[in-house]
Amino acid sequence: MPQTLAAGAVRKMKTELAEQVQYKLPLGDTKLPMNDLLGKTLSLSYAGQINCIACDRKTNKSFSQGFCYPCFKRLAQCDSCIVSPEKCHYDAGTCREPAWGEENCLIDHIVYLSNTSGVKVGITRHSQVPTRWMDQGATQAQPIFRVSTRLQSGLVETAFKSHVADKTSWQAMLKGDAEPVDLEQRRQQLTADCAAELAQLRERYGLQAITELEGAEETRISYPVLEHPSKVKSFNLDKAPLVEGTLQGIKGQYLIFDTGVINMRKYAGYHLEVAQID
């Protein structure tokens, strides 16, 4: 007889940096400790209800990982410049919510290198270090620039894109840890390769706005994985509302079962019941 562990609207997993990343899955008012369930046979049941993570209204379809359509169209955090910060709407005078932009975009951001499925460049608000790296499944990460706005972080990232990836292959990330790399050496090389573009940005925004972080401390991250999958099969709750299997690992925002993997962040706002079968 399955034993219900928790039920409610799901949010992305909470992480804590430790010897191995510690995960808790928010379900309603419960935060379910997931590391304790490694090796256990579980079921995840989708009840057919989705509530918007912004306004809580019921919605038949989730947009941008948890929003109803009106919020998706209205909120600045759902705008295209969140994905492409170099196209900042606040800078263009077209921000949907200028006050939100001032609070979240006109603040210090970090440009970093991480090792996920390989070396990549990324950006995050300074307050999201190291959470962003754990959410991406990075095994190594190192800040390389501190900048004054999200727009500037996007422009620095764009300068680096022709020399290093800016995306993670999530399938490769889940199949195993990437080979360790010397991130400081890569930082020095990239900074040299992009010297002209960085000089132009400093001339435009000022020397203090684009600060190079020479020799910043590297963070190493280990994940609770008993066994990596040799093939990656992704569950889709909209097509098959029941997931069952033995939990073999957790990495990034993915639960890894012997039957497939599921990205919990994708299903924010979905009402789920998690039960232990054995």
Side-chain angles (χ1 to χ4, degrees), residues 59-119:
T59 176
N60 293 325
K61 184 177 179 182
S62 171
F63 296 85
S64 192
Q65 298 179 331
F67 297 91
C68 65
Y69 188 71
C71 285
F72 172 68
K73 296 297 289 184
R74 175 178 60 85
L75 298 177
Q77 61 188 296
C78 297
D79 213 338
S80 59
C81 58
I82 296 301
V83 177
S84 302
E86 70 277 10
K87 302 175 182 177
C88 175
H89 284 103
Y90 189 99
D91 186 65
T94 56
C95 184
R96 296 174 180 179
E97 298 176 282
W100 187 92
E102 289 165 5
E103 184 177 344
N104 292 275
C105 301
L106 302 189
I107 60 173
D108 282 3
H109 277 64
I110 296 295
V111 183
Y112 62 85
L113 291 178
S114 65
N115 190 10
T116 52
S117 55
V119 177

Side-chain angles (χ1 to χ4, degrees), residues 2 10 63 119 140 159 179 182-183 203 216 221 250-251 275-276:
V10 72
F63 296 85
V119 177
Q140 298 171 260
E179 287 295 318
D182 187 337
L183 291 181
E203 183 176 350
I221 305 173
I250 315 170
K251 192 175 184 184
Q276 184 172 331

Side-chain angles (χ1 to χ4, degrees), residues 2-273:
Q3 174 191 356
T4 298
L5 301 176
V10 72
R11 294 290 188 270
K12 78 163 190 164
M13 289 185 283
K14 301 293 185 182
T15 56
E16 179 184 346
L17 186 61
E19 184 175 349
Q20 285 190 330
V21 177
Q22 297 295 304
Y23 283 93
K24 291 184 179 178
L25 178 63
L27 286 162
D29 295 329
T30 302
K31 291 184 174 63
L32 187 61
M34 296 305 296
N35 296 58
D36 297 344
L37 299 176
L38 286 171
K40 306 295 185 182
T41 301
L42 307 176
S43 66
L44 278 65
S45 307
Y46 167 43
Q49 179 178 333
I50 309 171
N51 285 77
C52 175
I53 62 173
C55 71
D56 200 41
R57 82 177 78 193
K58 288 186 179 180
T59 176
N60 293 325
K61 184 177 179 182
S62 171
F63 296 85
S64 192
Q65 298 179 331
F67 297 91
C68 65
Y69 188 71
C71 285
F72 172 68
K73 296 297 289 184
R74 175 178 60 85
L75 298 177
Q77 61 188 296
C78 297
D79 213 338
S80 59
C81 58
I82 296 301
V83 177
S84 302
E86 70 277 10
K87 302 175 182 177
C88 175
H89 284 103
Y90 189 99
D91 186 65
T94 56
C95 184
R96 296 174 180 179
E97 298 176 282
W100 187 92
E102 289 165 5
E103 184 177 344
N104 292 275
C105 301
L106 302 189
I107 60 173
D108 282 3
H109 277 64
I110 296 295
V111 183
Y112 62 85
L113 291 178
S114 65
N115 190 10
T116 52
S117 55
V119 177
K120 69 177 286 291
V121 62
I123 67 170
T124 190
R125 295 192 304 274
H126 65 91
S127 60
Q128 289 301 297
V129 172
T131 301
R132 177 66 171 164
W133 303 335
M134 293 185 284
D135 284 348
Q136 291 185 333
T139 51
Q140 298 171 260
Q142 180 175 326
I144 58 174
F145 282 91
R146 179 183 285 268
V147 300
S148 298
T149 67
R150 184 174 178 84
L151 168 63
Q152 292 164 12
S153 71
L155 294 172
V156 173
E157 182 184 42
T158 298
F160 284 179
K161 282 181 183 180
S162 60
H163 302 279
V164 66
D166 66 326
K167 298 286 191 300
T168 294
S169 169
W170 61 271
Q171 297 96 333
M173 180 271 291
L174 291 174
K175 286 182 179 180
D177 292 344
E179 287 295 318
V181 295
D182 187 337
L183 291 181
E184 174 60 17
Q185 188 275 329
R186 292 299 299 273
R187 180 198 70 79
Q188 293 175 16
Q189 184 62 54
L190 286 166
T191 302
D193 291 340
C194 300
E197 294 96 325
L198 293 170
Q200 290 174 358
L201 290 174
R202 289 191 175 105
E203 183 176 350
R204 179 177 176 183
Y205 294 106
L207 290 174
Q208 300 303 315
I210 315 289
T211 303
E212 184 176 352
L213 302 175
E214 298 183 17
E217 182 179 358
E218 177 187 308
T219 298
R220 295 281 181 124
I221 305 173
S222 177
Y223 297 88
V225 179
L226 302 178
E227 185 176 343
H228 292 282
S230 56
K231 294 183 179 180
V232 176
K233 171 192 172 186
S234 185
F235 291 111
N236 185 335
L237 291 177
D238 294 310
K239 295 182 178 179
L242 177 63
V243 170
E244 290 184 332
T246 300
L247 184 63
Q248 295 185 322
I250 315 170
K251 192 175 184 184
Q253 281 290 318
Y254 286 86
L255 297 180
I256 303 169
F257 293 95
D258 60 343
T259 51
V261 305
I262 183 168
N263 180 358
M264 298 311 299
R265 187 169 194 170
K266 177 181 178 181
Y267 295 104
Y270 282 58
H271 283 246
L272 303 181
E273 178 185 291

